[in-house]
Amino acid sequence: MAEFWEASFRDKQTMWGFEPADSAIAALNLFRENRLNKILIPGFGYGRNAKIFTDAGFEITGIEISETAIELAQKHYGDNVRVYHSSVTAMPFDQEVYDGIFCYALIHLLSEKERAKLIDDCYRQLKPGGYMVFVAISKNDAAYGDGEELSKDRFETKHGVLLFFYDSDSVEKEFGRYGIIEAKEVDEPAKNIGNKPSQKFWFITCRKQEK
């Protein structure tokens, strides 16, 4: 996966632009309402979804597999964000505990074992009372069923990307024991832009029980 994303960011640079995803704005509002401060962003990319958090005064740590993406982030946003250059599968990278975790459109790229480890690793680094938000592609997305089926609800696209598509059962199975408080399907972006249709995602919110 590292080679794929490194090549993608080298070739397409800031491919998603600089406007934050609607789900990032929703997570920002959730974290703000609950007065969180220290946030971890696995799958940091070039910081598209991080800037609204830093602009709002949050302390951000990222994890990113592509060195080029990190260089792009530093070019556009400076060095005020710590980003670990590695795969999320190698977590944890520090002994920090975080008030909040925001993981956008990453977990569905992983295998079943990798997904379970990521959720568990994030939960372990979450403070009691903290929130974590995962945004994952839905079986109701138009891309479901495209490509070669590798296992139940997991496909390899024509570009070589492996995607696992979630439904309510798999959301409950993978997140249910991690303090899930809400799981809802959302359109991303909320409104179609030009001729490009929105994608269907699950917006999954978990809260760690206070001791």
Side-chain angles (χ1 to χ4, degrees):
M1 194 192 319
E3 293 83 2
F4 173 86
W5 288 109
E6 181 61 24
S8 294
F9 283 114
R10 254 199 326 262
D11 181 43
K12 300 174 184 173
Q13 297 284 295
T14 52
M15 60 186 114
W16 296 297
F18 292 99
E19 286 297 314
D22 291 331
S23 294
I25 297 170
L28 170 69
N29 291 334
L30 173 71
F31 294 168
R32 216 184 227 153
E33 288 166 9
N34 289 279
R35 299 183 179 180
L36 310 187
N37 177 50
K38 190 185 293 186
I39 308 299
L40 176 67
I41 302 181
F44 185 84
Y46 55 82
R48 168 199 173 200
N49 288 321
K51 192 172 186 300
I52 56 168
F53 292 99
T54 56
D55 286 351
F58 289 87
E59 179 184 333
I60 300 297
T61 298
I63 304 168
E64 175 51 47
I65 200 169
S66 167
E67 188 172 7
T68 295
I70 295 172
E71 290 171 356
L72 289 168
Q74 291 171 339
K75 176 182 176 182
H76 290 281
Y77 303 127
D79 297 321
N80 61 337
V81 174
R82 176 175 59 179
V83 183
Y84 293 104
H85 174 219
S86 189
S87 169
V88 296
T89 59
M91 287 177 69
F93 298 99
D94 55 38
Q95 301 304 310
E96 298 285 339
V97 286
Y98 296 91
D99 302 317
I101 296 171
F102 179 61
C103 186
Y104 179 82
L106 166 67
I107 193 165
H108 50 246
L109 300 170
L110 306 178
S111 69
E112 183 175 3
K113 286 184 178 180
E114 289 169 340
R115 296 195 305 272
K117 182 179 185 299
L118 175 59
I119 297 167
D120 194 65
D121 287 340
C122 287
Y123 194 76
R124 287 174 184 272
Q125 288 197 264
L126 194 63
K127 281 184 179 178
Y131 289 80
M132 61 183 191
V133 172
F134 285 79
V135 181
I137 199 162
S138 168
K139 280 179 69 172
N140 289 321
D141 186 74
Y144 179 78
D146 288 349
E148 179 186 355
E149 186 169 10
L150 304 176
S151 57
K152 186 178 186 299
D153 296 331
R154 194 169 190 236
F155 299 84
E156 181 174 359
T157 73
K158 62 182 179 181
H159 302 295
V161 179
L162 308 184
L163 291 174
F164 176 77
F165 293 81
Y166 280 87
D167 60 15
S168 58
D169 289 340
S170 50
V171 168
E172 178 60 32
K173 177 184 176 184
E174 295 192 6
F175 292 91
R177 64 191 185 94
Y178 292 99
I180 188 168
I181 57 174
E182 185 181 39
K184 59 184 179 181
E185 281 190 292
V186 297
D187 292 329
E188 187 67 72
K191 294 181 180 179
N192 289 357
I193 299 175
N195 295 323
K196 189 175 181 181
S198 297
Q199 289 183 282
K200 288 282 187 183
F201 286 97
W202 282 93
F203 187 95
I204 305 156
T205 306
C206 299
R207 183 172 187 267
K208 192 169 187 175
Q209 187 173 0
E210 297 189 58
K211 295 180 180 178

